[in-house]
């Protein structure tokens, strides 16, 4: 029971109710579909659509028309979405410009006298091509049930995974661009500030947890020749075909490749991983028993925590996930701009939105931007979202217009 003035009610309800219904209606028009690998966030959006779509348009129109705060909320939503779109386009612009300028400079160099530059290789590139592998003499960790896992990219997600992997008794090493030695010590992870030193430890598994955008750069900088011949390469990128192709193109043929996507993060997985989807594709695993076992042991880290293990090809993953993820993150990010606050009269739907904002807002903009950049359909989805919003506004304003016109004519008569 909440006693409050009607004025206070309308002020709170303009965000908790009107925004919730507006977002539900935009998403409904965007025609979201359930997938076999829905994330928690996406499921909550599907639920929101179902809940709000059942109400009549009259009800929604009433929330808009008879609450003096709703128009301001609608404008704020509009500005927030526009702002997010601008942010994405500005990033895109910068990346493409940089590439164009870099290409221009490269061409300029090639045009110049330095023709032998054509035959010169970057040091890491030559390492890639002429890898003289470290001898494969320490097979203890393969035979053991415990794995020696080197996490490359020890940011938000790398640390999140490390906690559970360490708790299961595996040996975890880490390397990142920034210095995380203190965090690593607290987590029981052996930290290396030099990637050569890390690889000299001959981990059985390299777990790539870097941002999607930096993957090419990071991969090319790894000294493969210092690793064991049979190393298992695993990634956790939120898009899958991109790293799969990259691995097959750049990794030595003897390396095993497992592409995965734990479809949860530090927020949605903070109370355990039970029933959370874990997608994997055994892209290339050697026939030897030890290699097959190692791959299963790695997968078992997630299976034993209760994850819903879903084996599917990288292409299929991208078809299902890239779209739903991008929509979920877009909704969370544009609502974040409104700085929504909890109210004394939160509806269930509004609470869904608040937790969505919390979940997606903690992820880096790099991550969101990659979902946009590496998803073929993202631009179309962004447009669909925009059109859905425009169409909803049109419906509201048309109704407003026709009522006012009707009143004018009636008065004249
Ligand atoms: P992120 O911003 O996508 O990645 C941060 C990581 O990338 C850090 O380790 C960072 O290293 C590294 N990095 C960024 N730019 C770099 C560069 N130019 N050179 C070298 N390293 C660079 O945030 P995240 O949440 O930690 O995600 C990591 C990966 O996990 C991503 O591929 C993401 O798609 C995937 N993933 C994330 C989630 C999630 O909920 N967050 C869920 C599933 C999968 P430093 O910190 O050392 O700078």
């Amino acid at each position: 029971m909440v006693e409050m003035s009607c004025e206070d009610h309308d002020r709170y309800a303009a965000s908790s109710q009107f925004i919730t219904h507006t977002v539900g209606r935009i998403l409904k028009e965007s025609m979201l579909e359930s997938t076999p690998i829905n994330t928690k966030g996406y499921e909550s959006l599907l639920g929101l659509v179902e809940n709000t779509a059942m109400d009549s348009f009259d009800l929604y129109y009433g929330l808009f028309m008879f609450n003096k705060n709703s128009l301001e909320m609608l404008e704020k939503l509009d500005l927030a979405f526009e702002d997010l779109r601008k942010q994405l386009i500005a990033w895109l612009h910068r990346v493409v410009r940089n590439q164009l300028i870099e290409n221009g400079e490269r061409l300029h160099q090639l045009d110049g006298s330095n023709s032998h530059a054509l035959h010169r290789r970057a040091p890491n590139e030559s390492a890639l091509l002429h890898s003289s592998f470290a001898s494969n003499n320490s097979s203890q960790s393969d035979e053991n049930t415990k794995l020696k896992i080197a996490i490359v990219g020890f940011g938000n997600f790398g640390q999140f995974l490390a906690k559970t992997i360490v708790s299961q008794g595996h040996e975890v090493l880490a390397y990142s661009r920034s210095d995380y030695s203190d965090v690593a010590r607290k987590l029981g992870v052996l930290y290396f500030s030099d990637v050569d030193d890390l690889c000299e430890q001959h981990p059985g598994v390299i777990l790539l947890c870097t941002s999607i955008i930096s993957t090419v750069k990071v991969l090319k900088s790894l000294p493969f020749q210092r690793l064991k011949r049979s190393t298992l390469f695993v990634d956790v990128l939120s898009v899958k075909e991109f790293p799969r192709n990259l691995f097959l193109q750049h990794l030595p043929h003897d390396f095993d490749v497992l592409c995965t996507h734990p479809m949860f993060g530090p927020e949605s997985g903070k109370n355990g991983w039970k029933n959370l989807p874990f997608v994997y594709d055994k892209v290339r695993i050697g026939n030897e028993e030890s290699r097959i076992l190692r791959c299963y042991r790695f997968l078992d880290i997630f299976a034993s925590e209760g994850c819903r293990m879903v084996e599917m090809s990288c292409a299929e993953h991208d078809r299902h996930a890239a779209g739903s993820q991008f929509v979920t993150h877009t909704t969370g990010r544009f609502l974040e701009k409104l700085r929504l606050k909890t109210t004394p009269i939160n509806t269930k739907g509004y609470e869904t939105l608040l937790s969505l904002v919390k979940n997606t807002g903690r992820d880096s903009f790099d991550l969101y931007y990659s979902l946009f950049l590496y998803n073929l359909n993202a631009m179309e989805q962004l447009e669909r979202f925009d059109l859905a919003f425009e169409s909803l506004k049109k419906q509201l304003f048309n109704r407003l217009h026709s009522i006012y016109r009707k009143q004018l004519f009636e008065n004249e008569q």
Side-chain angles (χ1 to χ4, degrees), residues 35-39 157 207 234-241 243 258-264 273 275-283 298-299 302-303 307-322 324-325:
T35 76
I37 47 173
N38 294 343
T39 57
F157 199 63
L207 180 57
V234 186
D235 83 291
V236 292
L237 268 58
S238 305
V239 290
K240 292 275 52 83
E241 273 206 281
L258 174 69
C259 287
T260 80
H261 184 195
M263 301 200 60
F264 48 90
W273 300 353
N275 293 330
L276 298 174
F278 180 90
V279 179
Y280 64 97
D281 183 0
K282 289 185 253 144
V283 175
F298 181 83
L299 290 172
F302 298 86
C307 285
R308 184 161 65 83
M309 306 297 285
V310 186
E311 183 166 13
M312 70 167 52
S313 73
C314 291
E316 203 182 343
H317 164 277
D318 281 6
R319 242 191 345 268
H320 289 307
S324 60
Q325 275 186 119

Side-chain angles (χ1 to χ4, degrees), residues 151-161 175-180 191 208-215 217-218 221 235-240 260-269 325 329 359-360 362-368 370-371:
I151 299 183
V152 174
F154 205 53
N156 194 21
F157 199 63
Q159 292 172 28
F160 166 69
L161 290 182
Y175 161 79
S176 206
R177 179 181 57 167
S178 318
D179 179 18
Y180 289 113
Y191 193 77
L208 200 66
C209 293
T210 47
S211 67
I212 301 170
I213 300 177
S214 64
T215 312
K217 187 185 135 204
V218 172
S221 71
D235 83 291
V236 292
L237 268 58
S238 305
V239 290
K240 292 275 52 83
T260 80
H261 184 195
M263 301 200 60
F264 48 90
E267 217 15 72
S268 51
Q325 275 186 119
H329 280 253
N359 278 345
T360 49
R362 294 227 175 125
D363 291 329
S364 67
F365 194 78
D366 264 9
L367 177 56
Y368 174 57
S370 309
L371 296 179

Side-chain angles (χ1 to χ4, degrees), residues 214-229:
S214 64
T215 312
V216 177
K217 187 185 135 204
V218 172
L219 200 63
K220 284 187 174 179
S221 71
L222 294 179
F224 299 132
Q225 76 281 9
R226 296 193 191 282
L227 290 164
K228 281 196 295 180
R229 191 189 294 272

